[in-house]
Amino acid sequence: MSGLERRRFDALVIGAGGAGLRAALSLARADAHVAVVSKVFPTRSHTVAAQGGINAALANVTADNWHWHMYDTVKGSDFLGDQDAIEYMCRAAAHLVVELEHAGIPFSRLPDGRIYQRPFGGQSQNFGGAQAARTCAAADRTGHALLHTLYQQNLRARTHFFDEYFAIDLLRDEQGYILGALVLEIETGELLVIEAKSTLIATGGAGQLFRTNTNAHINTGDGLAMVLRAGIPLEDMEFFQFHPTGIAGKGMLISEGVRGEGGYLVNGAGERFMERYAPKAHDLASRDVVSRAIYQEVAEGRGCGAQRDHVLLKLEHLGEEVIAKRLPGIREMVQTFLHVDPLHHPIPVYPTAHYTMGGIPTNRHGQVVVPLGAGEETIPGLYAIGECACVSVHGANRLGGNSLLDIVVFGRAAGNHIIEFLKEQRTHRPLPPESLERALERLQRWDRRGEGESVDGLRRALQETMERHCGVFRSEAVLLEGLSKVREIRDRLAHAILKDHSRIFNTARIEALELENLVELGIATLVSALGRTESRGAHSRIDYPERDDRHWLKHSLYYLEGERLEFKPVRLKPISVDTIPPAERVY
Amino acid sequence: MSHPDTAADSELARLRWRCRRGMLELDLLLLPFVERGWAGLDPTAKEAFWRLLDLPDPTLLELLLGLAPPPDPLSDVVAAIRATAA
Ligand SMILES: Cc1cc2nc3c(=O)[nH]c(=O)nc-3n(C[C@H](O)[C@H](O)[C@H](O)COP(=O)(O)OP(=O)(O)OC[C@H]3O[C@@H](n4cnc5c(N)ncnc54)[C@H](O)[C@@H]3O)c2cc1C
């Protein structure tokens, strides 16, 4: 153990997506000595996939202000979002988007030069009135432009990057201080201990929990599982967003823009069924509503195709020109993956797992918090931001365009808070050997040789179980069965063996570590979903179909130890304005 | 000089990790190709594949979806990847 290489930094940022890079930038500019660890090259982080854009009430296209944005976000969250954090985010949005513009993000523009804004689902003027246009985009490359710009700025600010390093576990002492992490250099298989006065987790979401999902293969929720193993709970894990229109059986996202331009859904009888589920908004109702409608059509035997296992998204009527101009890439994507031309054939679609609303519990400074008596205490030295965190601005359902906003707003907030924290925390606390040993054991377990099942099939088994037992609709019986299946997968994984023990770029070993993380998150999600006996936002219980504010206007907290749940209140009080009281959510 | 098998194995290992990208669409195009198509490529095409991987994700996606014409030296390997897309 003493033979391990060690490096020391003021701040360790795990994750180089938009969230991690925004925080690192604030830190490096304040002359903190900051390390960023990422399992893939920073500009290949999943943020690169975000095409739609980022929300800010700039009022360039329709009337708008942050109060309306805040209202929409609270309503979208099905009133589970924390209203102080939501106010903070919506108020900061305009300033941060202008800051990004100055940093060089090539936002699409109006003829008069101001930033163009497009309408997205769930955006309204005047607290639930006419559609607002609030989403700013750099053509269809918003996420890429954001990542690229932040990466270049970080290089200039001399942030130290550890590219293609995999974080295994957090290191902590008896008092609960987080002291850094054990990481693995993927290229060489060498280990490195990174000691830091503060550690920030920005490892993104866990879409790979489900068989059909929109996420890159790297989205395995590693940071969430590291936090669980450090004895810290995860918040609201029962809330996972399913996007209604994934390519059936494959998962890739067909953007909401298709329905925005006039595309519509039909069932096996050719019926436009959304008219029954959302009399006003039809195909453009919010994501959870459309996902449930599709699921129900299929479940009740009105699906399409030989297996009747999907519905169809029709856009033939839009014509070649509209499709080429307004929906660039959609036709080519469908042709590439399905070998059919959406100009002549409708697209088979089904809900696809998209966004992790739950995550590491934090306050609006990005500090990780756990319950203490009637209140909360912070975990000293530990921060979390972005999709892995639950601050919570998305509550039970995230609105499109609010996630890129979340990552820059809380990236900056956490960076600034760490700068203050570092003024108090002048030295590195000593690293107890036990902490390192625990992390090492996790890795060494995979050096075992001999007889045993291989890991390959287990990821698929987990994903299929989660999809079948913890998908768009849930019930106690189905969840319980899922839980026992995932526990069985966990037992099998504990005895699994790697065939390849080489050091260099051992992808199989990384995948085994990722799968261990996913399995713990699967159990967290199932237990949390079993616990919440109501339906709210993305969490729909057939056996408890109503939202129940009297008992359930609260966040769940799942602990690894004992696989138990606790709860904490929703922060209903904003910073400066009146509470937006829970009301029925209709679109 | 390492044993040829080992060198090929470690190149494949490196390739497998470098094909992990930020977009699901790219994972689904690149990873199966590495398992099925890579071994059959001649050295020039292999070299072209590595160059392809250096491109930013959105540019790579455009090429692989056929939205933009690939530069000449990359066109064969782009076509080969597109042909294995399932
Ligand atoms: C297809 C798609 C389209 C989307 N479009 C939009 C949109 O238009 N607007 C919007 O607001 N949101 C959108 N989203 C959501 C949004 O893109 C994400 O929520 C957001 O980018 C997450 O950013 P992040 O920085 O938290 O994480 P990520 O960008 O996922 O970054 C995670 C980082 O952590 C690193 N990492 C993870 N595990 C480890 C480990 N063990 N060791 C070391 N490093 C690790 C990774 O290498 C990576 O650098 C979209 C999502 C998808 C899937």
Side-chain angles (χ1 to χ4, degrees), chain A residues 15-16 18-19 38-39 45-47 52-53 165 167 222 355 387 398 401 403-404:
Chain A
S38 175
K39 62 181 177 180
S45 300
H46 188 55
T47 295
Y165 278 70
D222 301 341
Y355 185 86
E387 193 168 335
R398 175 187 73 107
S403 175
L404 289 184

Side-chain angles (χ1 to χ4, degrees), chain A residues 440-459:
Chain A
L440 280 170
E441 263 165 38
R442 197 176 159 230
L443 188 68
Q444 282 155 357
R445 165 256 172 281
W446 289 106
D447 290 337
R448 235 164 30 212
R449 285 155 207 261
E451 291 295 301
E453 186 175 3
S454 87
V455 178
D456 302 345
L458 289 175
R459 182 153 169 170

Side-chain angles (χ1 to χ4, degrees), chain A residues 14-20 37-42 45-54 120 147 165-168 202-205 214-215 218-220 222-223 226 253 354-355 385-388 398-405 407 517, chain B residues 25:
Chain A
I14 308 177
V37 171
S38 175
K39 62 181 177 180
V40 294
F41 280 122
S45 300
H46 188 55
T47 295
V48 78
Q51 300 190 333
I54 177 167
F120 247 50
L147 261 186
Y165 278 70
F166 185 87
I168 294 172
T203 48
T214 63
N215 285 199
I218 49 178
N219 284 24
T220 51
D222 301 341
M226 291 192 306
L253 188 73
H354 187 50
Y355 185 86
I385 47 168
E387 193 168 335
C388 67
R398 175 187 73 107
L399 294 185
N402 263 357
S403 175
L404 289 184
L405 179 61
I407 67 183
N517 291 336
Chain B
E25 291 80 355

